[in-house]
Amino acid sequence: MRAAAQADLFGAVDPVLPPGIALFRGRIPLAESRVLLDDMLTVFAAAPPYRLRMKTGAYVINQLTNCGELGWHSDSQGYRYVDRHPEQGTPWPAIPPRVKAAAIAAARECGVADFDPDACLVNLYAAEGKLNLHQDHDEADFAWPIVSFSFGNDGVFALGGAKRRDPVQGVTLHHGDVMVLHGPGRMLFHGVKKIVPGTAPFQHSAIPANGRLNLTLRRAT
Ligand code: MD6
Ligand code: FE
């Protein structure tokens, strides 16, 4: 159930991850990752990536979009799940079946047999992209896991504890890695400290130049 410390291709050893954080290194083979990213181009055609605005009116650095019945969005009314693209006014496109199947399989390996994600948030990071420490708490039932896919350049993931002030450890997420936050790991604080340009195995038009693409599949309802 618990991911053990694992050596990557370069012999670097991950810090031991807490219970409820499973990290499947290189889970998506390179050839399959190209196909999944091609699927994302179809998603982007129906639901173009957009930027959230802060209260000040300034735009947040990352772009995002969604697929699935529901998509995560934030505006003056707060953080929530909505059933359509806020700028296009159209329903979100379906989660690509290959992506959904990979998420369900990873959840199953964490002991969750009946995960049925209805929302997939797509986060697009430019080279300067980052994501502040947060908990994902807009879902109806925290018993369901969140399954995360990383593509493109490495992202240094910040993994904290149950409280915002708890110590944070850095975990570098590579292209093709799949991470699951489940059970006691589901509500741990986390974020993305930085992107490491020059580490992607290939360029793909679904991924910002020198950037990273992250998918998180959830059960929102
Ligand atoms: C990212 N991930 O990796 C941001 N949230 O770019 C998340 O915020 C995240 O990886 C919930 C569960 C897994 C995650
Ligand atoms: Fe998150």
Side-chain angles (χ1 to χ4, degrees):
M1 207 71 66
R2 168 171 176 172
Q6 252 184 338
D8 70 13
L9 285 174
F10 308 101
V13 174
D14 281 331
V16 174
L17 297 169
I21 303 292
L23 176 54
F24 300 99
R25 287 287 191 204
R27 173 71 178 227
I28 310 295
L30 221 52
E32 191 183 328
S33 72
R34 289 183 189 275
V35 176
L36 296 188
L37 289 166
D38 290 346
D39 287 344
M40 294 319 295
L41 291 176
T42 305
V43 167
F44 295 170
Y50 65 99
R51 278 177 221 277
L52 298 177
R53 289 179 80 142
M54 297 185 283
K55 282 180 195 136
T56 59
Y59 285 98
V60 167
I61 182 166
N62 298 329
Q63 288 193 273
L64 70 94
T65 189
N66 291 276
C67 47
E69 288 102 88
L70 291 168
W72 187 87
H73 176 65
S74 159
D75 57 20
S76 55
Q77 295 171 55
Y79 303 105
R80 64 196 190 284
Y81 284 92
V82 295
D83 69 357
R84 53 199 62 234
H85 191 292
E87 293 181 357
Q88 303 275 112
T90 48
W92 302 109
I95 301 174
R98 281 181 276 253
V99 174
K100 195 167 175 171
I104 290 170
R108 184 178 297 272
E109 286 178 44
C110 295
V112 182
D114 45 359
F115 184 47
D116 184 18
D118 60 3
C120 171
L121 169 60
V122 186
N123 274 122
L124 294 163
Y125 297 80
E128 330 69 72
K130 59 189 172 63
L131 186 65
N132 290 335
L133 210 63
H134 67 276
Q135 278 174 319
D136 290 76
H137 51 38
D138 299 315
E139 300 72 30
D141 185 352
F142 306 146
W144 294 117
I146 296 183
V147 181
S148 159
F149 297 78
S150 292
F151 297 108
N153 289 280
D154 292 352
V156 181
F157 194 77
L159 180 63
K163 301 190 195 83
R164 185 174 286 278
R165 65 175 182 275
D166 286 341
V168 166
Q169 69 181 55
V171 182
T172 299
L173 299 178
H174 307 293
H175 180 100
D177 288 353
V178 175
M179 190 170 57
V180 184
L181 271 59
H182 64 104
R186 172 65 178 76
M187 298 310 286
L188 297 182
F189 276 90
H190 60 275
V192 176
K193 278 199 254 196
K194 63 173 180 175
I195 306 303
V196 191
T199 53
F202 57 81
Q203 312 288 312
H204 191 283
S205 54
I207 306 174
N210 302 309
R212 173 172 176 267
L213 186 156
N214 168 255
L215 303 174
T216 43
L217 283 86
R218 304 107 187 282
R219 179 86 209 166
T221 54

